[in-house]
Amino acid sequence: MPPPPPLPEFTKSVNLKYVKLGYQYLVNNILTFLLIPVAVSILVQALQLGPAELLNLYKSLNFDFLHIVCSSFLVVYIATFYLMSRPRTIYLVDYACFKPPCSLRVPFAKALEHGRIILSSQPKAVSFQLKIIERSGLGEETCLPPAIHYLPPEPSMAAAREEAQMVIFSAMDTLLKKTSLKPKDIDILIVNCSLFSPTPSLSAMVVNKYKLRSNIKSFNLSGMGCSAGLISIDLARDLLQVHPNSNAVIVSTEILTPNCYTGNQRSMLLPNCLFRMGGAAILLSNRWSDSRRAKYRLVHVVRTHKGSEDKAYNCVHQEEDPEGHVGISLSIDLMVIAGEALKSNITTIGPLVLPASEQLLFLFSLLGRKIFKKKWKAYVPDFKQAFEHFCIHAGGRAVIDELQKNLQLSAEHVEASRMTLHRFGNTSSSSLWYEMGYIEAKGRMRKGDRVWQIAFGSGFKCNSAVWKCNRTIKKPVDGPWIDCIDRYPVHIPDVVKL
């Protein structure tokens, strides 16, 4: 008797992608599927009743004038209580990014020439910087402030203030022009800059320049790393919740002039190779009148702080080297710590944004691993079901690679981050806004699209912000990408041989 024919392999006979899509559609719309039969049956029963029967049914409810007045009062009271107690909607009206002048460009050849001259007695340090630049993912158009172009660099308090004025005032001027906002109408001002914290503060510098009101609520955040931009968003959100009918302007930047490391410690040379000039100014509002013109609506802000762990606290540390040169030291454990911080952050944000189908799959995976230990493969939630766009802090190529791998993102999902790193370098807390600008310049932002901004910072912190697009955004006619967007995306090789 011949053996029965083998059964076809399930994975080859069925396209599992469509099975998963069907499952997601079913679970995410389960309430609709349950309510539709109930609604249809009620409608059928109502249609079978005649006008007289419907009138008798209404009379049997025994509604009188007192019942109607009390019921109306109760409905109005509940509606008023709900509207007064729910959080105010926060709108992102618009934002502007600083575009450095071409005269401040730092091509690879210039960066290496300066490195060889400044570190002429340390050939190993020069060789290390060469390897970093070759693999950095940066392009030839990134910029550094004027004082760092000198040989040797000439950092000073005056030069740092000039850089701050150049970056901040340029971004502010553009924002005021784009939004037609008058300086006197700014109610809240937040400036974040981690490494340069002068007296008077940078926020006071803005107040003085634009002659802002004497009762303005101004804040200056320092020492909070590249994730300080989202911390500023969170602070502005909280302030706008308690101050109705208000505008908040946020300025995110990093001033590089006083922080150029001139020593030879490898862990401190790395920031020199990655950090570049940049800044952004953002206008938030809780005014209902801004709801139509606003670009985005703030949905969630989730902050994760790992500073209670010594390794996380020390992984990005400003200190002196043995020769007394001040710089930022990056630990070898940085990526591992960033991964742990990201895991904690997405564990918190996942239930807020993921559809029910993904949450159920994650729950089943978790239970399976508890029962079968490590034999059961962990399920990574598909965040592509929750977001159309991803803005990952352009801190470096390794950061983007790691998040793309862990979140299972496509090349297009991380395109904005890679191209921002290539064109502008690591601009610290403002990098997320250059990435948002890239997506808009490509004409990809549609009404209803959801955007996930992810940033990392010293301390160690991982912060997230979720935005929903308020209207389809047309390609801008200005901005930092206007003169180069047509040639992006570009191919970025793993190693650029110099």
Side-chain angles (χ1 to χ4, degrees):
M1 184 177 179
L7 293 173
E9 280 192 51
F10 177 74
T11 55
K12 292 183 179 179
S13 60
V14 178
N15 193 328
L16 292 179
K17 180 180 76 171
Y18 296 108
V19 174
K20 185 177 179 182
L21 286 174
Y23 160 77
Q24 289 166 346
Y25 186 78
L26 174 65
V27 173
N28 295 338
N29 297 279
I30 189 68
L31 288 177
T32 303
F33 290 132
L34 292 175
L35 290 175
I36 285 177
V38 176
V40 170
S41 63
I42 293 173
L43 181 62
V44 170
Q45 291 293 328
L47 291 175
Q48 290 177 351
L49 297 174
E53 292 173 311
L54 289 173
L55 182 61
N56 291 332
L57 180 63
Y58 173 78
K59 289 180 178 179
S60 67
L61 296 175
N62 295 321
F63 281 139
D64 57 22
F65 180 74
L66 182 61
H67 286 140
I68 294 173
V69 170
C70 291
S71 300
S72 302
F73 176 78
L74 182 63
V75 169
V76 171
Y77 176 79
I78 293 173
T80 304
F81 178 79
Y82 170 74
L83 292 173
M84 294 294 290
S85 61
R86 72 172 188 163
R88 290 187 173 91
T89 304
I90 308 301
Y91 298 103
L92 193 165
V93 180
D94 213 332
Y95 62 94
C97 296
F98 167 70
K99 184 180 179 182
C102 295
S103 58
L104 299 180
R105 287 174 58 242
V106 186
F108 296 147
K110 184 174 183 178
L112 292 174
E113 180 188 17
H114 280 227
R116 290 190 181 102
I117 294 172
I118 296 169
L119 299 171
S120 57
S121 61
Q122 302 290 337
K124 289 185 178 179
V126 175
S127 177
F128 173 74
Q129 284 188 308
L130 173 62
K131 289 181 180 179
I132 294 298
I133 292 174
E134 288 179 335
R135 295 162 175 79
S136 65
L138 271 68
E140 300 267 13
E141 297 180 87
T142 62
C143 297
L144 285 171
I148 300 180
H149 285 256
Y150 293 119
L151 286 172
E154 295 183 357
S156 66
M157 180 64 74
R161 286 186 184 278
E162 288 177 6
E163 181 193 349
Q165 292 168 359
M166 179 196 305
V167 175
I168 294 174
F169 294 166
S170 173
M172 281 289 297
D173 288 344
T174 305
L175 179 70
L176 296 176
K177 182 179 178 182
K178 290 174 73 173
T179 60
S180 301
L181 179 69
K182 297 177 182 178
K184 295 292 184 182
D185 292 334
I186 300 175
D187 305 292
I188 299 165
L189 173 67
I190 303 171
V191 179
N192 69 264
C193 178
S194 292
L195 297 175
F196 180 55
S197 184
T199 299
S201 66
L202 294 177
S203 60
M205 183 182 77
V206 176
V207 171
N208 177 260
K209 165 70 175 179
Y210 294 96
K211 308 305 177 189
L212 304 184
R213 300 198 317 259
S214 60
N215 65 340
I216 190 169
K217 298 167 185 64
S218 66
F219 301 84
N220 198 93
L221 306 183
S222 64
M224 306 194 80
C226 300
S227 66
L230 296 187
I231 295 174
S232 297
I233 294 289
D234 190 35
L235 175 59
R237 179 190 64 172
D238 291 345
L239 291 167
L240 288 171
Q241 289 300 329
V242 297
H243 296 287
N245 201 35
S246 298
N247 286 316
V249 170
I250 297 168
V251 179
S252 293
T253 188
E254 195 61 75
I255 304 306
L256 304 179
T257 295
N259 301 294
C260 179
Y261 177 64
T262 55
N264 56 26
Q265 297 294 309
R266 290 192 172 189
S267 63
M268 299 170 123
L269 284 169
L270 192 57
N272 284 0
C273 303
L274 298 176
F275 280 88
R276 296 294 186 265
M277 287 183 78
I282 305 101
L283 173 60
L284 300 183
S285 172
N286 60 12
R287 296 179 177 179
W288 182 83
S289 58
D290 287 326
S291 59
R292 288 190 176 183
R293 69 170 183 148
K295 284 186 171 182
Y296 304 93
R297 174 173 60 85
L298 182 60
V299 183
H300 301 292
V301 178
V302 174
R303 293 168 56 181
T304 302
H305 205 306
K306 308 290 283 186
S308 60
E309 302 170 12
D310 290 343
K311 274 191 175 181
Y313 173 74
N314 291 305
C315 70
V316 181
H317 208 264
Q318 187 176 23
E319 59 190 18
E320 292 179 334
D321 67 9
E323 297 177 358
H325 300 290
V326 177
I328 304 296
S329 175
L330 303 181
S331 167
I332 195 172
D333 299 320
L334 177 59
M335 292 310 302
V336 176
I337 293 165
E340 290 297 321
L342 175 66
K343 190 184 299 183
S344 299
N345 191 268
I346 64 175
T347 301
T348 305
I349 202 172
L352 300 175
V353 299
L354 286 171
S357 58
E358 288 300 305
Q359 296 196 46
L360 282 175
L361 287 174
F362 181 75
L363 177 62
F364 293 153
S365 171
L366 189 64
L367 293 175
R369 285 176 65 82
K370 287 288 185 182
I371 297 171
F372 301 103
K373 305 299 179 184
K374 293 185 179 179
K375 293 180 181 179
W376 192 287
K377 187 178 179 182
Y379 179 74
V380 179
D382 185 5
F383 281 93
K384 298 185 292 294
Q385 295 292 323
F387 304 106
E388 284 74 33
H389 308 287
F390 297 80
C391 294
I392 300 167
H393 167 52
R397 190 175 202 153
V399 175
I400 302 171
D401 288 345
E402 193 66 22
L403 264 73
Q404 180 180 6
K405 177 183 174 183
N406 288 340
L407 298 177
Q408 299 177 356
L409 304 178
S410 67
E412 185 175 348
H413 287 125
V414 296
E415 181 182 312
S417 301
R418 292 197 189 280
M419 298 308 112
T420 295
L421 182 65
H422 181 271
R423 173 61 183 85
F424 295 100
N426 179 354
T427 60
S428 189
S429 58
S430 64
S431 68
L432 299 173
W433 303 105
Y434 288 93
E435 294 166 23
M436 196 90 94
Y438 179 88
I439 298 169
E440 292 181 6
K442 280 294 183 182
R444 298 173 182 171
M445 197 66 76
R446 298 284 184 267
K447 182 178 181 179
D449 282 1
R450 298 152 298 178
V451 186
W452 186 13
Q453 292 181 326
I454 315 170
F456 300 92
S458 58
F460 188 84
K461 300 178 286 291
C462 176
N463 299 325
S464 292
V466 178
W467 304 90
K468 190 167 185 177
C469 187
N470 229 25
R471 55 183 171 83
T472 298
I473 298 174
K474 298 178 181 178
K475 290 185 179 182
V477 295
D478 56 6
W481 293 98
I482 191 64
D483 63 343
C484 62
I485 192 63
D486 291 337
R487 67 173 187 265
Y488 278 95
V490 298
H491 171 67
I492 304 174
D494 293 336
V495 180
V496 178
K497 285 296 180 183
L498 301 177

